[in-house]
């Protein structure tokens, strides 16, 4: 029987401490990149990949995210009365994009724990996990690319990108054998390896397609790095018990939960924006020539 993927889990329950003070009140997933909040890019990627059910893992102080995808009767009525039909269309488009179910993570016990709390909603079917602050700019949506790999190998897939050797200690790193172009069968997973402990530069980023066996793996995962339940540790159990693939996706990824990554995302998305891109490119040229 073919395993169908219909749900995407989007964890947004983290505290966003790297982006303080901006994130004291506003969730980092609601920070704007050019003209829309980060989380909207994530949801648009998921929808463009053919998935319409989103399970948000939220926490207190994050209700703005749910509200962003909800109907806003007052705002829609106001825009309709004023004849601002373009804006009305835009606002309606967001609220009709997806069906959202929210699950609360009562304490930020780690990404693995955030995924674990979705078990009652997701149940016994494979699902996608997309981190709420990890943006990928690509021609073919990254989640769609991964679903093709999952469809072919029928086991869990993590998205990876090649990073410089001096940066591997900041990521979960996989080692593996290449079994198809850009697809590796994972032989080892190392969370934030100390320099010199691996030759691999394949770093895990925030996109996963997971077999439901991950819930069993998570229930046997003890707190790891930072005292948190790490998804990477559960993936190591998955690798041993079922197998795991890593896929070097096509596209550029930005960690929008980090101040520098957020700036990179803003500049690159602005340069590619259909209305603002050309003007912004000219502006940057002038700025750099003046400098
Ligand atoms: P991060 O480590 O990037 O998020 O987790 P964080 O903890 O909010 O960030 P800092 O380090 O304090 O700045 C990756 C993703 O996992 C979610 C986060 O919301 C983010 O999307 N997450 C993390 C949870 O949902 N729950 C957690 O307990 C931890």
């Amino acid at each position: 029987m073919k395993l169908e993927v219909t749900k995407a889990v989007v964890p947004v329950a983290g505290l966003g401490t790297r982006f303080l003070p901006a994130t004291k009140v506003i969730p980092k997933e609601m920070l704007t990149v050019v003209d829309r909040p980060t989380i909207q890019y994530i949801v648009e990627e998921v929808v463009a990949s053919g998935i319409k059910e989103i399970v948000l893992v939220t926490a207190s102080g994050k209700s703005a995210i749910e509200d962003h995808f909800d109907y806003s009767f007052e705002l829609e009525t106001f825009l309709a009365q004023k004849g601002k039909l373009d804006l009305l269309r835009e606002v309606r488009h967001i609220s009709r994009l997806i069906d959202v179910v929210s699950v609360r993570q009562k304490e930020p016990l780690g990404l693995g724990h955030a995924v674990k709390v979705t078990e009652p909603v997701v149940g016994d079917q494979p699902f996608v996990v997309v981190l709420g602050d990890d943006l990928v700019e690509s021609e073919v949506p990254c989640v769609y690319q991964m679903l093709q790999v999952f469809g072919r190998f029928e086991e869990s897939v993590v998205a990876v990108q090649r990073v410089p050797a001096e940066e591997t200690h900041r990521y979960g790193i996989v080692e593996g054998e290449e079994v198809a172009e850009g697809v590796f069968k994972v032989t080892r997973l190392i969370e934030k390896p100390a320099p010199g402990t691996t030759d691999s530069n394949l770093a895990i980023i925030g996109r996963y397609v997971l077999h439901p066996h991950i819930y069993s793996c998570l229930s046997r995962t003890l707190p790891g790095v930072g005292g948190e339940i790490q998804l990477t540790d559960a993936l190591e159990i998955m690798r041993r018990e079922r197998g795991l693939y890593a896929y070097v996706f096509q596209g550029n990824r930005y960690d929008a939960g980090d101040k520098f990554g957020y700036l990179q995302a803003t500049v690159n998305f602005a340069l590619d924006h259909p209305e603002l891109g050309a003007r912004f490119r000219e502006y940057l040229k002038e700025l750099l020539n003046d400098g």
Side-chain angles (χ1 to χ4, degrees):
M1 192 186 67
K2 208 123 183 103
L3 293 168
E4 218 195 323
V5 183
T6 61
K7 290 190 170 70
V9 166
V10 183
V12 295
L15 294 174
T17 54
R18 283 172 298 155
F19 225 129
L20 282 168
T23 47
K24 186 177 170 203
V25 178
I26 299 168
K28 63 177 167 180
E29 298 81 4
M30 288 303 293
L31 297 179
T32 304
V33 172
V34 187
D35 59 359
R36 65 197 75 176
T38 311
I39 189 72
Q40 191 175 330
Y41 289 96
I42 301 287
V43 166
E44 285 173 351
E45 178 187 329
V46 167
V47 173
S49 304
I51 292 178
K52 288 206 79 173
E53 289 172 69
I54 298 225
V55 182
L56 277 181
V57 184
T58 65
S60 62
K62 297 274 181 165
S63 56
I65 300 174
E66 285 147 293
D67 291 347
H68 185 71
F69 295 102
D70 203 353
Y71 291 102
S72 173
F73 181 74
E74 266 178 40
L75 180 62
E76 289 186 22
T77 310
F78 175 83
L79 293 173
Q81 279 170 354
K82 295 277 175 193
K84 300 194 172 197
L85 299 184
D86 282 355
L87 290 175
L88 180 61
R89 217 171 294 125
E90 182 74 21
V91 166
R92 283 199 172 143
H93 160 74
I94 301 164
S95 56
R96 283 155 184 73
L97 265 177
I98 39 153
D99 295 325
V100 180
V101 175
S102 298
V103 180
R104 277 270 175 150
Q105 186 190 20
K106 291 183 182 153
E107 277 180 87
L109 298 179
L111 177 58
H113 181 257
V115 173
K116 179 80 176 85
V117 298
T118 65
E119 185 172 8
V121 181
V122 173
D124 194 23
Q125 54 172 306
F127 59 102
V128 169
V129 175
V130 186
L131 300 193
D133 57 355
D134 233 6
L135 293 178
V136 174
E137 206 183 18
S138 56
E139 247 166 63
V140 178
C142 182
V143 167
Y144 183 84
Q145 297 177 41
M146 295 181 69
L147 288 171
Q148 305 312 301
V149 179
F150 178 77
R152 182 166 166 199
F153 293 93
E154 296 190 331
E155 289 299 344
S156 303
V157 184
V158 297
V160 291
Q161 65 177 6
R162 294 191 183 278
V163 296
E166 62 276 13
E167 286 180 21
T168 50
H169 68 278
R170 292 173 39 204
Y171 294 88
I173 298 291
V174 303
E175 292 175 1
E177 281 162 40
E178 194 161 14
V179 289
E181 202 186 333
V183 182
F184 291 78
K185 184 154 177 40
V186 177
T187 51
R188 187 173 169 221
L189 278 150
I190 324 133
E191 183 62 35
K192 302 192 170 69
T197 52
T198 177
D199 289 335
S200 174
N201 64 352
L202 296 172
I204 301 178
I205 64 126
R207 302 280 184 283
Y208 311 77
V209 184
L210 298 176
H211 187 282
H213 184 64
I214 194 72
Y215 291 122
S216 156
C217 303
L218 282 165
S219 66
R220 288 173 280 144
T221 302
L222 299 172
V225 175
E228 296 190 342
I229 309 275
Q230 298 287 350
L231 184 58
T232 311
D233 294 341
L235 288 170
E236 172 58 20
I237 303 178
M238 173 78 95
R239 182 194 70 75
R240 287 199 303 265
E241 296 181 356
R242 290 198 62 99
L244 178 69
Y245 291 86
Y247 169 62
V248 186
F249 67 96
Q250 302 290 317
N252 296 315
R253 172 258 183 184
Y254 309 101
D255 179 2
D258 164 81
K259 290 177 188 175
F260 190 74
Y262 178 81
L263 285 176
Q264 288 176 310
T266 303
V267 171
N268 283 288
F269 279 76
L271 286 171
D272 289 335
H273 193 281
E275 284 148 36
L276 303 169
R279 214 172 120 201
F280 187 58
R281 187 173 300 274
E282 282 310 307
Y283 170 72
L284 283 187
K285 270 192 208 153
E286 281 168 31
L287 196 69
L288 294 172
N289 286 340
D290 283 355

